[in-house]
Amino acid sequence: MERITKSASETKRLGEDFAKRIINKKYKKRDKKAFVICLKGDLGGGKTTFVQGFAKGLGIEGKVLSPTFVIMKKFSIPCIREKESFYRYLYHIDCYRIDSSKEVNSLGLKEIVSDPQNIVIIEWVDRIKEEWLSCTLSIQFHFIDEKTRRVIIKENGKTKNLSCY
Ligand SMILES: Nc1ncnc2c1ncn2[C@@H]1O[C@H](COP(=O)(O)OP(=O)(O)O)[C@@H](O)[C@H]1O
Ligand SMILES: [Mg+2]
């Protein structure tokens, strides 16, 4: 899936829409692991902006700030439909400042990504080299100009249509 966004709010809306689709799908299907989304691309590409919309789509209120200085933030996912969502927690992780496996271990990330109740969204995932970490899907953000970004969503290396989720 490839989309051009022309403003930060358009990227937020994309995240919001995407979150709703993921939640809907998971009503029907349970995986044995967390749903892991890896965000790639340069600084200022729109990764954190996307997460803000994504959190809104899950019904999480309040502003989602960049976790660069705290590395990891955990949010409870409220019940946003008549039936409860299977997912309980959103973890927003920014690996920009991570430079050792020891730090990854201290976050408890291995346990977090093994828990099917979690949605885990990771910025700067390339800094984590652990072989147990696999992304359910990855999203690449390309800077085109000040207001324009190209957003590419891939699963197992293949681009997928948004309606697949
Ligand atoms: N189309 C767009 N999509 C996302 N952000 C945009 C867009 N156009 C301008 N921006 C701006 O670019 C910046 C993106 O920052 P941020 O989301 O923190 O990026 P990252 O987390 O990838 O470093 C914000 O200041 C945002 O307002
Ligand atoms: Mg960021």
Side-chain angles (χ1 to χ4, degrees):
M1 202 281 290
E2 192 173 313
R3 198 59 79 73
I4 301 285
T5 64
K6 299 242 170 238
S7 66
S9 51
E10 238 184 83
T11 297
K12 273 185 206 166
R13 253 195 324 274
L14 189 63
E16 187 178 345
D17 189 33
F18 198 62
K20 287 176 180 164
R21 285 169 190 270
I22 288 169
I23 285 241
N24 280 335
K25 183 181 178 185
K26 290 296 156 174
Y27 276 125
K28 293 158 208 144
K29 184 169 165 275
R30 284 187 176 202
D31 287 343
K32 293 196 179 76
K33 287 186 192 167
F35 197 102
V36 182
I37 303 169
C38 298
L39 305 185
K40 300 173 179 178
D42 294 335
L43 203 65
K47 300 182 292 297
T48 301
T49 304
F50 181 90
V51 178
Q52 286 166 354
F54 188 86
K56 191 179 172 205
L58 297 178
I60 294 165
E61 286 177 10
K63 196 155 172 60
V64 174
L65 300 169
S66 172
T68 297
F69 294 98
V70 293
I71 298 178
M72 183 165 88
K73 285 192 87 175
K74 180 183 181 182
F75 303 89
S76 290
I77 300 172
C79 310
I80 52 171
R81 291 189 174 77
E82 287 154 24
K83 281 188 219 161
E84 276 184 74
S85 162
F86 175 65
Y87 291 113
R88 287 278 166 280
Y89 301 104
L90 169 69
Y91 285 86
H92 180 200
I93 300 166
D94 191 327
C95 302
Y96 191 64
R97 273 153 214 284
I98 284 188
D99 50 26
S100 70
S101 286
K102 209 171 140 217
E103 271 187 87
V104 176
N105 291 337
S106 73
L107 291 175
L109 189 56
K110 196 171 185 177
E111 289 69 38
I112 291 166
V113 298
S114 329
D115 186 341
Q117 293 195 112
N118 297 331
I119 298 177
V120 185
I121 192 158
I122 309 175
E123 298 187 41
W124 297 102
V125 70
D126 301 351
R127 309 222 170 195
I128 306 183
K129 304 283 181 232
E130 269 61 21
E131 85 291 335
W132 44 260
L133 184 69
S134 62
C135 300
T136 313
L137 52 93
S138 66
I139 308 180
Q140 181 89 42
F141 294 79
H142 294 280
F143 187 99
I144 295 178
D145 64 32
E146 204 193 325
K147 291 273 161 205
T148 316
R149 305 288 185 273
R150 178 179 289 121
V151 186
I152 303 168
I153 301 181
K154 289 185 181 179
E155 187 180 30
N156 297 329
K158 289 182 184 156
T159 53
K160 273 222 167 187
N161 198 290
L162 190 60
S163 61
C164 294
Y165 296 102

